[in-house]
Amino acid sequence: MPLQEPANPHCKASPIQYVRHARPRAAPFARRSPCQARPQPREDSITTRNTLSYKDAGVDIDAGNALVEAIKPLAKATARAGSDAGLGGFGAFFDLRAAGYDDPILVATTDGVGTKLKVAIEAGRHDTVGIDLVAMCVNDLVVQGAEPLLFLDYFATAKLDVAAGRAVVAGIAAGCRTAGCALIGGETAEMPGMYGPGDYDLAGFAVGAVERGQALTGAAVTSGDIVLGLASSGLHSNGFSLVRKVVSNLRLGYDAPAPFAPGRALGEALLEPTRIYVASCLAAVRAGHAKALAHITGGGLIENLPRVLPDTAAVEIDPAAWPRPAVFGWLAEAGGVAPAEMLRTFNCGIGMAMVTAAADAEAAIRSLQDAGETVFRIGRVVERRADRPVVRSAGA
C-alpha cells in the first residue's frame, strides 16, 4: 500500500487489505510529526506549492495501488496449510502447527535473478523471471531437508509498469505453487532516478522448516556413496553476464532465431525458467534416500558439491555421464568460452546433485524419476586427499 500522509486531522492511516506494499521511495519526511503544525507559507508561494504532486516527481501512487489490486488473486491462489495468502496487514502470519510441525527448525534463504533480468527486459518477456526468483530460493531450502513454507518478494523499478509488474508477480505465484509455499507478501518500490527506463530488480526471501534432528547436513556421506545428477532445464539463473557478453559479441538480437533451439527466439530460449526440485527431492529425503543435496548454481559442480561434503570426502565425476543441453555447446563454441570457464560458471546440464548410499541408488533414481526428474549417475564419493581437488574428473 502506498506511503502517504494521512488526509484527516487525526493522522489515521487507511486500513491495509494486503500485506504487499506499493511503497514509493523518496527523500525522508522532515523530523517533525506529520500531525505537528507546519509553518504557513508566504502568500506568493501558495500557488506553486499547491500544484506540485508526487507524480510530478516520478512516483505514481495510483499505479502502485493498481498493481496491488491486480496481484491479490495471484497471491491468494498460493495459500496453503498454515497461511492465509493474500490477506494481512503490516506483516503476515504463518501457523507452523497448522502446517503439521511439532518441533520445527526454521530455515531461511534469499536470492535474486541477476542479469537474466536484462534479457527479460530487452526481450519484453516478464512472465518467467518470477519462477526463477522462487526457484533460486526454494532449491536452497530443500538441500537442507527443509520444506518451503512461505515466500516474499521485493520488486523495485524507476517507473512502475503495471502490466509488466503483474507478469513478474504471476511468475512468482506460479513458482510458489510448484514449490508448495505461500506468497504471503512483498514490496513494490518505485524509485525515480535509481534505475534506467524500463529496468527493474527483484529479490526473493523464502522460509522453510524441518523437524528438529532431521536436517540434511551431509555428515553421513562416506566413500563409496553414489552421486546422482538431476537434469537442469538450461542455464537456470547463473552466468548471464557472460551470456549477454556472448550475445553482444555475436551481434545478435533477442528476437533473432536461437542458434541452439530451432523454432524459438533467442530471448525466449535463454529465459527458460530455473527448474524447481522441491517435490522430487523432499520425497527422496523423506524416504531416507538422500545423504546430501547440492543446488548447482554459480560455480557449477566443482564449487557447489564441496559445500555439502564432510572434510574427509571428495567426489570423482564422470563428465561423459550426462548430455549437455545445446545452449552450453553454443556458448562454448560460438562464444569461445573455455571448458574450465564453462564448468566454473554454469550448471552444464546438472541443476541438482544428490549423494546416496550405493545400496539406495536404484530406489533413489526410481523415486526421482517418478517425480518427473531426469536422473544420471554422474560420480562417486572417494576419500579426500590434500594433493588433489575435492571435485575432479574420474581417472584424473
Side-chain angles (χ1 to χ4, degrees):
M1 183 146 186
L3 181 66
Q4 54 188 318
E5 294 186 49
N8 66 65
H10 300 292
C11 296
K12 292 177 65 177
S14 59
I16 295 179
Q17 299 300 321
Y18 179 60
V19 294
R20 183 183 198 89
H21 300 287
R23 180 170 297 162
R25 301 293 189 186
F29 292 121
R31 290 184 179 273
R32 63 172 175 265
S33 163
C35 291
Q36 182 178 339
R38 291 171 169 76
Q40 293 299 311
R42 291 172 44 190
E43 186 174 350
D44 59 4
S45 70
I46 290 177
T47 302
T48 301
R49 290 191 60 179
N50 286 350
T51 58
L52 187 62
S53 70
Y54 214 175
K55 191 171 183 178
D56 292 331
V59 178
D60 190 339
I61 293 172
D62 293 333
N65 289 340
L67 177 61
V68 170
E69 290 301 315
I71 62 182
K72 277 183 181 180
L74 301 174
K76 193 167 183 62
T78 69
R80 53 153 293 155
S83 78
D84 187 9
L87 301 175
F90 288 99
F93 293 93
F94 193 94
D95 186 339
L96 287 165
R97 183 169 295 176
Y101 287 89
D102 296 319
D103 186 19
I105 300 295
L106 295 180
V107 185
T109 62
T110 184
D111 212 331
V113 184
T115 58
K116 189 174 187 177
L117 291 177
K118 292 293 289 184
V119 179
I121 291 164
E122 292 182 33
R125 300 179 65 95
H126 310 286
D127 56 341
T128 59
V129 289
I131 300 173
D132 290 302
L133 185 67
V134 175
M136 296 302 289
C137 294
V138 298
N139 287 342
D140 281 353
L141 284 180
V142 76
V143 300
Q144 295 166 95
E147 176 193 12
L149 300 176
L150 60 92
F151 192 86
L152 299 100
D153 71 278
Y154 177 78
F155 176 92
T157 185
K159 182 175 178 57
L160 186 58
D161 179 329
V162 175
R166 187 194 182 283
V168 169
V169 178
I172 294 172
C176 286
R177 291 194 300 272
T178 299
C181 60
L183 177 58
I184 63 170
E187 170 81 353
T188 302
E190 188 171 32
M191 301 186 286
M194 287 290 290
Y195 300 93
D199 285 350
Y200 58 84
D201 198 8
L202 296 174
F205 313 90
V207 176
V210 59
E211 293 287 3
R212 191 179 302 275
Q214 296 181 15
L216 203 60
T217 66
V221 172
T222 188
S223 295
D225 288 342
I226 302 300
V227 182
L228 304 178
L230 282 62
S232 68
S233 57
L235 293 167
H236 286 187
S237 299
N238 297 101
F240 270 84
S241 292
L242 179 54
V243 172
R244 291 169 50 242
K245 182 66 174 176
V246 170
V247 172
S248 175
N249 287 347
L250 296 175
R251 298 184 178 181
L252 293 172
Y254 290 112
D255 57 349
F260 54 87
R264 303 182 75 184
L266 179 59
E268 176 193 2
L270 292 175
L271 289 170
E272 184 69 31
T274 305
R275 187 165 180 82
I276 294 174
Y277 298 98
V278 169
S280 59
C281 287
L282 275 182
V285 169
R286 289 167 177 169
H289 297 150
K291 287 189 172 185
L293 287 163
H295 184 199
I296 309 305
T297 56
L301 286 163
I302 58 176
E303 291 190 11
N304 286 290
L305 266 174
R307 298 169 66 181
V308 300
L309 299 176
D311 293 341
T312 56
V315 170
E316 288 186 345
I317 296 292
D318 178 5
W322 73 95
R324 275 49 165 189
V327 63
F328 297 108
W330 173 73
L331 286 168
E333 295 167 17
V337 183
E341 192 66 18
M342 292 292 297
L343 288 172
R344 69 193 297 256
T345 305
F346 301 111
N347 66 62
C348 292
I350 299 297
M352 182 73 73
M354 176 184 292
V355 181
T356 185
D360 293 333
E362 286 303 320
I365 291 171
R366 286 195 300 271
S367 171
L368 292 166
Q369 289 175 336
D370 288 346
E373 303 295 350
T374 302
V375 189
F376 309 96
R377 286 181 180 243
I378 65 171
R380 66 188 183 99
V381 178
V382 297
E383 186 177 349
R384 186 177 299 196
R385 290 173 46 177
D387 61 337
R388 306 187 74 179
V390 177
V391 178
R392 56 184 180 268
S393 294

